[in-house]
Amino acid sequence: MSFAITAAEIPAIPIAGSDARFPVHRIYCIGRNYAEHAKEMGASVERSQPMFFMKPADAIVTDDADVPYPSATQDLHHEVEMIVALARGGRDIAREHALDCVFGYGVGLDLTRRDLQAAAKAKGHPWDAAKGFDASAPVSMLRRVEDVGHPRTGRLSLDVNGERRQQADISEMIFDVAAIIHELSRLWTLAPGDLIFTGTPAGVAMLQRNDRVHARLDGIVELDARIV
């Protein structure tokens, strides 16, 4: 196939123990998936209906590269999350078959321009500018399911400049991985290469230029980054 202009490079994530990379198709995110985080944001917990939003595939930052502080904000916040990478997709995926779609797991940051989000919420506007900006999704390498299984418990944490900011067990998620995949597939046709951010625990806070962040999903993977 020929193109009228130069095609953009496909965003891709390194895979532990492999020279191959995982090509990213779409990035789906779930909001308010930890009760304590919903509480700190002044929001109610919807246990019957998950809330989803998206980021562009090319919002990822990989290989522990520096993360540029975004424009148009004075209140950049960190949100550490377990991420799930899909090798298979489909529509209306049954919960009992959802984990069969998973390629692997990692850890990432859902960076948020909190001031823009607050302004959008106040006016009943979409959050796109607050969530889907350039470099808003730093991610670790991925670990394959055959190497780590499907983690159902484990500590998810974030340190900023050596100080613990966020910490929870992934078992505290309101919607687990299978439920998230099932619910997403009712709204979109999922595809190989899709990446899912599974929600953040309490403790979100501001980041400054030159901050160093360390995200960790115990026993699985770690991520280091610097805000520049």
Side-chain angles (χ1 to χ4, degrees):
M1 179 185 295
S2 61
F3 296 100
I5 61 172
T6 301
E9 183 177 349
I10 297 174
I13 303 172
I15 301 165
S18 174
D19 292 332
R21 294 175 78 92
F22 180 88
V24 179
H25 175 244
R26 292 177 177 170
I27 301 176
Y28 298 98
C29 308
I30 183 170
R32 304 173 188 172
N33 203 27
Y34 288 81
E36 290 303 310
H37 172 60
K39 185 185 300 184
E40 76 176 348
M41 298 304 295
S44 60
V45 175
E46 294 289 343
R47 297 183 182 275
S48 60
Q49 181 60 55
M51 182 192 70
F52 296 117
F53 58 93
M54 299 177 72
K55 290 176 179 278
D58 63 0
I60 61 169
V61 180
T62 64
D63 302 280
D64 289 345
D66 288 345
V67 179
Y69 194 96
S71 62
T73 185
Q74 300 298 320
D75 194 15
L76 177 67
H77 275 211
H78 56 73
E79 299 189 9
V80 67
E81 312 200 8
M82 179 173 74
I83 59 175
V84 180
L86 301 188
R88 293 171 48 197
R91 282 193 62 84
D92 297 318
I93 299 167
R95 182 168 176 164
E96 57 267 29
H97 301 305
L99 294 184
D100 296 338
C101 298
V102 177
F103 172 85
Y105 294 87
V107 68
L109 298 177
D110 166 19
L111 295 180
T112 303
R113 295 194 275 207
R114 192 71 74 199
D115 45 0
L116 300 192
Q117 185 187 38
K121 284 182 178 180
K123 296 179 180 179
H125 290 176
W127 300 357
D128 299 58
K131 289 288 192 179
F133 53 92
D134 296 342
S136 61
V139 294
S140 70
M141 70 173 62
L142 297 173
R143 299 289 306 280
R144 297 174 185 264
V145 166
E146 46 263 45
D147 296 328
V148 298
H150 295 288
R152 291 176 169 82
T153 64
R155 184 174 60 182
L156 175 68
S157 64
L158 180 75
D159 296 346
V160 178
N161 301 325
E163 176 187 352
R164 181 61 45 90
R165 292 274 188 92
Q166 292 184 263
Q167 179 173 298
D169 195 284
I170 58 172
S171 63
E172 298 171 29
M173 290 193 299
I174 296 166
F175 295 91
D176 64 14
V177 172
I180 293 171
I181 293 171
H182 166 69
E183 295 290 346
L184 279 170
S185 74
R186 297 175 62 205
L187 298 169
W188 294 276
T189 300
L190 300 182
D194 284 343
L195 199 66
I196 302 171
F197 278 64
T198 60
T200 195
V204 300
M206 186 184 294
L207 287 169
Q208 306 283 357
R209 291 172 179 83
N210 296 317
D211 279 348
R212 293 185 177 273
V213 299
H214 178 76
R216 179 183 176 93
L217 181 59
D218 278 3
I220 307 294
V221 73
E222 302 180 25
L223 165 68
D224 288 291
R226 183 170 65 108
I227 311 299
V228 298

